[in-house]
Amino acid sequence: MSVESPSPFADPAAITHYADNARRTVPGLDAVHRMASVLLAERAPADARILVLGAGGGLELKVFADDHQDWTFDGVDPAPAMLDLARATLGADTDRVTFHTGYIDSAPEGPFDGGACLLTMHFLDANQRLDTLKQVRRRLKPGAPFVVMHISYEQEAQSRELWLDREEAYLVASGGAPADARRRREAVSKGLHSLSPEQDEALLVQAGFSAVSQFYSAFTFRGWVAYA
């Protein structure tokens, strides 16, 4: 895939504060990681091999590794510095993860017992997203779970502005500076490839996933579990 690495993840200051910023801007992020772990474990075996796309930072990898001592992982991310942060986050569990610098076409063929892609798909346009989903689907065993979460909200003009207003207000209410909240709003509005939840679900189905169901909704974020 010819997708440029998101520029904030080449900024050392942004990387240093990645975990704090992610928790501040994504309502219930730690709970999302735990829910993803539970959803994967519903079908993944005790010795599962799990594909994690967008693994930089390592937050979800750390939860998965703590919850499931015999799982191993392949983590893929285009930003080397974010993969370094993942290694630091994982500590002693790093030896259970094989890291790959790049996009989905840098991932091994598998087959994997499950997959996760959190806070990543909104960097891809609809065509890139569909290609990525198809490639993930191809790497999963039949019936394997796939958990995905990213920015996804109504795209009709009036509804779109309302949800962006709400997210901006949430960030300020959570202690963020109004100027920072406004900058994030502009970044989400103009810098990301946001789709509606209906469009995101349709792409999962088009990519070959079945039994798509939403498990998380928080302001401009949505999460789904689906099966290969």
Side-chain angles (χ1 to χ4, degrees):
M1 287 172 54
S2 58
V3 183
E4 294 298 324
S5 178
S7 58
F9 303 136
D11 177 357
I15 290 169
T16 298
H17 300 289
Y18 171 76
D20 289 341
N21 288 337
R23 290 186 172 104
R24 186 179 303 113
T25 56
V26 183
L29 180 60
D30 290 325
V32 170
H33 294 153
R34 179 105 314 124
M35 287 187 284
S37 178
V38 168
L39 291 167
L40 291 171
E42 282 182 340
R43 296 199 184 186
D47 61 348
R49 183 185 180 195
I50 303 294
L51 173 65
V52 179
L53 184 62
L59 296 178
E60 64 269 51
L61 276 169
K62 179 61 175 169
V63 174
F64 298 165
D66 285 348
D67 286 353
H68 309 285
Q69 296 298 314
D70 294 320
W71 285 9
T72 56
F73 309 90
D74 282 81
V76 183
D77 198 279
M82 288 295 288
L83 290 179
D84 289 340
L85 179 59
R87 293 182 181 95
T89 300
L90 284 157
D93 287 317
T94 302
D95 60 2
R96 295 166 57 193
V97 184
T98 302
F99 288 104
H100 310 271
T101 303
Y103 302 93
I104 184 60
D105 49 5
S106 298
E109 288 299 310
F112 291 93
D113 297 295
C117 182
L118 308 182
L119 295 177
T120 296
M121 288 290 180
H122 48 235
F123 294 115
L124 309 179
D125 67 28
N127 290 331
Q128 294 165 339
R129 200 174 303 192
L130 178 59
D131 177 68
T132 297
L133 290 170
K134 287 179 176 178
Q135 291 204 50
V136 170
R137 166 70 178 76
R138 179 168 57 80
R139 287 167 167 81
L140 297 179
K141 294 179 181 178
F146 176 57
V147 179
V148 59
M149 185 273 283
H150 50 264
I151 290 173
S152 178
Y153 61 103
E154 296 301 328
Q155 295 300 300
E156 184 275 325
Q158 187 172 354
S159 295
R160 193 173 192 272
E161 291 305 307
L162 176 60
W163 282 110
L164 290 171
D165 287 345
R166 288 168 171 169
E167 178 176 79
E168 183 177 357
Y170 171 80
L171 296 178
V172 174
S174 299
D180 291 340
R182 177 48 58 101
R183 278 192 292 270
R184 174 173 169 79
R185 177 202 178 105
E186 293 300 314
V188 170
S189 178
K190 298 178 180 178
L192 298 180
H193 298 283
S194 302
L195 301 178
S196 72
E198 293 79 12
Q199 290 171 315
D200 271 313
E201 290 186 19
L203 286 177
L204 283 163
V205 173
Q206 190 176 349
F209 289 96
S210 62
V212 178
S213 58
Q214 188 178 128
F215 74 93
Y216 168 78
S217 174
F219 286 105
T220 59
F221 296 90
R222 300 289 185 277
W224 295 268
V225 61
Y227 301 91

